[in-house]
Amino acid sequence: MKTLFLEIITPERQFYIGPAEELVLPAIDGLYGVQPGHEPAVTAMEPGELRFKVDGEWQVAAIGQGFVEIMPDRAIVLVSSAEHPDEIDQRRAQEALERAEERMRQKKSVEEYYYSKAAMARAMARLKVSRRR
């Protein structure tokens, strides 16, 4: 089976480095699928669920915003955060979601709105991925 070399990197760690058969990314304009031989591309990603297939099995991660560079034989994912389902504290993620929702209801400033919206997206992605344990 053909694979591409995948690197998923955050500022804190190398989350995954190795072969992958497929990759599904939460791009800013929807889900973006990548397979070996994909044409070169660079796209921005939003917080969400990233999936990649290794040895026929799907792996999932909750990621923060970032970018991906795709080449026919490799993909480099640079994100603000990446977590395996078992690394996510569901209670903390739920509390973060509730705090962000409350800030959204308060409608303070445009800046606060976008900060709260981003926090909500991160919390929802973490909760979705954590339920896959």
Side-chain angles (χ1 to χ4, degrees), residues 42-78:
V42 173
T43 190
M45 294 182 301
E46 61 185 11
E49 179 183 76
L50 176 142
R51 293 177 298 179
F52 56 103
K53 191 187 285 187
V54 178
D55 295 328
E57 216 164 291
W58 285 101
Q59 310 289 317
V60 297
I63 63 163
Q65 62 189 15
F67 295 91
V68 61
E69 177 190 33
I70 301 162
M71 298 301 283
D73 61 343
R74 65 182 164 83
I76 301 171
V77 177
L78 302 171

Side-chain angles (χ1 to χ4, degrees), residues 14-35:
Q14 296 175 330
F15 182 79
Y16 177 81
I17 295 180
E21 295 138 30
E22 291 181 63
L23 175 63
V24 179
L25 307 158
I28 57 171
D29 55 352
L31 292 178
Y32 199 85
V34 179
Q35 294 180 329

Side-chain angles (χ1 to χ4, degrees), residues 69-115:
E69 177 190 33
I70 301 162
M71 298 301 283
D73 61 343
R74 65 182 164 83
I76 301 171
V77 177
L78 302 171
V79 287
S80 60
S81 63
E83 296 173 283
H84 294 283
D86 59 354
E87 296 173 326
I88 299 169
D89 181 331
Q90 278 189 319
R91 183 184 54 76
R92 283 187 56 223
Q94 184 64 43
E95 289 170 357
L97 177 60
E98 290 166 7
R99 283 191 306 272
E101 288 172 337
E102 179 57 32
R103 283 194 310 266
M104 293 281 286
R105 280 192 287 277
Q106 292 174 4
K107 297 179 185 161
K108 291 189 177 178
S109 67
V110 172
E111 182 181 327
E112 180 69 18
Y113 168 81
Y114 285 111
Y115 174 79

